[in-house]
Amino acid sequence: MHFHKYEKIWLVFGLVSLILFLSIVGVSAFSHGHTPSGGMDTIDPKKVNETAPFDKPGVTQLDDDTYQVAIVALAFGYNAPELKVPAGKEIIFKVTSTDVVHSFTIDNTKVNMMVVPGQITTKSYTFDKPGKYLILCNEYCGAGHHLMSTEIEVY
Ligand code: CUA
């Protein structure tokens, strides 16, 4: 009789740990799905050119202290006309790709974003010093990878 009682306790204990384990796994899977790393939004990579803000790439002033810069990365360049932004203001970069994975890396800054088709990568940055900054791709993306660069002017 005692033997059966203990067996029951262990059975219940086993079930409780199983449920606990499953709910922990479930909760972490759930939160992963709802907080993509790096604050990314999704976009249809085939409709980039007709989806705001990428339908009009370049610099847009949002308010006195904030500018948005929309850039489309593609093999092998950046669709980012006339990149001129002021120093000391918040610049919000929004970048996406129409083909493969690239990066959006501004030399001598902390801006180093992975650019993935289907996703909008956002990064806020404030330039301290005026000057011309080189933008380049440091994710290997094909034969023209080393040609992929542009420039941003900070005034
Ligand atoms: Cu784009 Cu390397």
Side-chain angles (χ1 to χ4, degrees):
M1 287 304 134
H2 278 288
F3 182 78
H4 271 99
K5 192 177 174 187
Y6 279 116
E7 213 170 36
K8 238 179 204 172
I9 289 168
W10 280 109
L11 186 69
V12 169
F13 178 77
L15 270 173
V16 168
S17 356
L18 183 69
I19 289 163
L20 257 175
F21 173 76
L22 285 176
S23 55
I24 289 165
V25 169
V27 163
S28 55
F30 183 83
S31 59
H32 270 292
H34 287 257
T35 46
S37 59
M40 287 186 198
D41 287 320
T42 56
I43 186 170
D44 183 342
K46 291 190 191 81
K47 290 186 180 156
V48 166
N49 296 335
E50 54 203 78
T51 307
F54 303 104
D55 54 343
K56 286 177 197 145
V59 181
T60 312
Q61 183 167 5
L62 299 180
D63 60 43
D64 285 352
D65 299 308
T66 322
Y67 290 71
Q68 177 178 278
V69 180
I71 291 156
V72 180
L74 65 162
F76 297 99
Y78 298 97
N79 183 4
E82 291 182 61
L83 294 183
K84 284 184 188 174
V85 294
K89 306 276 185 182
E90 185 187 11
I91 314 297
I92 300 165
F93 291 99
K94 285 186 179 277
V95 192
T96 192
S97 166
T98 51
D99 43 40
V100 297
V101 174
H102 300 280
S103 93
F104 179 84
T105 305
I106 307 178
D107 209 20
N108 294 319
T109 70
K110 284 178 184 152
V111 180
N112 184 17
M113 304 150 74
M114 182 118 141
V115 184
V116 181
Q119 292 180 337
I120 300 169
T121 313
T122 302
K123 169 98 183 167
S124 164
Y125 190 74
T126 304
F127 291 92
D128 297 329
K129 291 184 206 140
K132 285 186 174 175
Y133 293 75
L134 183 67
I135 295 170
L136 40 89
C137 177
N138 66 15
E139 285 287 327
Y140 183 76
C141 52
H145 162 70
H146 62 289
L147 301 172
M148 196 166 163
S149 73
T150 188
E151 210 175 50
I152 185 165
E153 189 182 333
V154 179
Y155 57 87

